[in-house]
Amino acid sequence: MFLDYFKDFSTKKIVKKSLSNVKHSANDKQIKTVGLIIDESYFFEKESIIKELNQNGIQQENIKILVFRDKIKKNEVFDYPIYSNKDLSWIATIDNKEVNSFIKEPFDLLINYYDTEKTALLLASQMSKASFKVGFSSIDKRVNHFMITTNAEDYKIFISELFKYLKILNKI
């Protein structure tokens, strides 16, 4: 228990320090591939978000999902790559092959669909090679290029606002 708290504190400190060195690059690339990081600790509407993305012109095969959970049961089977705090090392790296392949994927758009700062989520978002990152305004401003102010439960509002601004930015 105490070691978990200390590990979380240590990795969060490393992640926050690395966020100060982030340089955002502007590009006019059209969005074709989308990565989606979801905190499934309290939000379970993965399929609904994918459906909304499909309705806005993103093809199903161009969407990849990474799911975070606070606790993972041993024999549970998942449809998507999943990780937890146990996959974090003490030096702020992730020890999960599926997560590392997701992070290395050069997505045109990364949707950070979580509104509570958790070290594992911040680390995956920060390490991602996505060219344009979108998330909630309640998260550290250095993680995302674009932030939307709403609640995570209001996924329809989030997606509609996202695509409204992507059209304005000529990304779709």
Side-chain angles (χ1 to χ4, degrees):
M1 175 87 174
F2 176 73
L3 288 177
D4 289 338
Y5 174 76
F6 187 69
K7 178 181 167 184
D8 186 55
F9 177 77
S10 171
T11 54
K12 188 174 258 186
K13 185 176 178 183
I14 292 169
V15 170
K16 292 284 187 175
K17 186 175 181 181
S18 69
L19 283 174
S20 64
N21 298 328
V22 172
K23 292 182 174 72
H24 294 290
S25 61
N27 66 15
D28 295 331
K29 190 174 181 181
Q30 294 291 311
I31 292 175
K32 293 179 179 65
T33 59
V34 175
L36 182 60
I37 299 176
I38 297 177
D39 182 2
E40 202 178 62
S41 302
Y42 64 93
F43 183 78
F44 304 102
E45 302 284 336
K46 293 184 301 286
E47 309 305 330
S48 300
I49 291 178
I50 293 170
K51 184 179 175 185
E52 290 290 321
L53 290 171
N54 290 337
Q55 289 175 350
N56 283 289
I58 305 295
Q59 300 296 320
Q60 177 77 32
E61 60 271 4
N62 293 336
I63 302 171
K64 293 201 177 160
I65 298 177
L66 178 64
V67 177
F68 172 82
R69 276 197 179 174
D70 287 325
K71 299 200 188 297
I72 299 174
K73 296 177 185 171
K74 275 190 177 181
N75 296 323
E76 201 169 0
V77 179
F78 301 102
D79 297 336
Y80 304 106
I82 194 159
Y83 74 114
S84 70
N85 284 326
K86 292 188 181 214
D87 294 316
L88 290 181
S89 71
W90 285 81
I91 56 170
T93 58
I94 298 175
D95 302 325
N96 184 321
K97 291 178 186 176
E98 293 175 323
V99 176
N100 286 326
S101 68
F102 181 89
I103 289 169
K104 291 177 184 172
E105 187 86 26
F107 296 112
D108 299 328
L109 173 66
L110 177 69
I111 300 173
N112 294 312
Y113 204 83
Y114 55 90
D115 60 359
T116 305
E117 282 191 12
K118 294 182 182 175
T119 306
L121 292 164
L122 290 173
L123 183 61
S125 299
Q126 190 260 336
M127 292 175 66
S128 174
K129 304 291 184 224
S131 59
F132 191 68
K133 299 176 185 178
V134 175
F136 289 92
S137 60
S138 60
I139 302 302
D140 193 321
K141 309 298 185 231
R142 300 170 292 183
V143 175
N144 299 309
H145 297 105
F146 186 74
M147 291 147 291
I148 297 174
T149 305
T150 187
N151 295 327
E153 294 81 22
D154 300 331
Y155 66 90
K156 288 185 179 188
I157 294 171
F158 181 89
I159 297 295
S160 68
E161 289 293 310
L162 170 63
F163 278 92
K164 179 172 86 173
Y165 286 104
L166 288 176
K167 287 177 185 173
I168 291 170
L169 295 169
N170 292 323
K171 296 234 176 238
I172 56 171

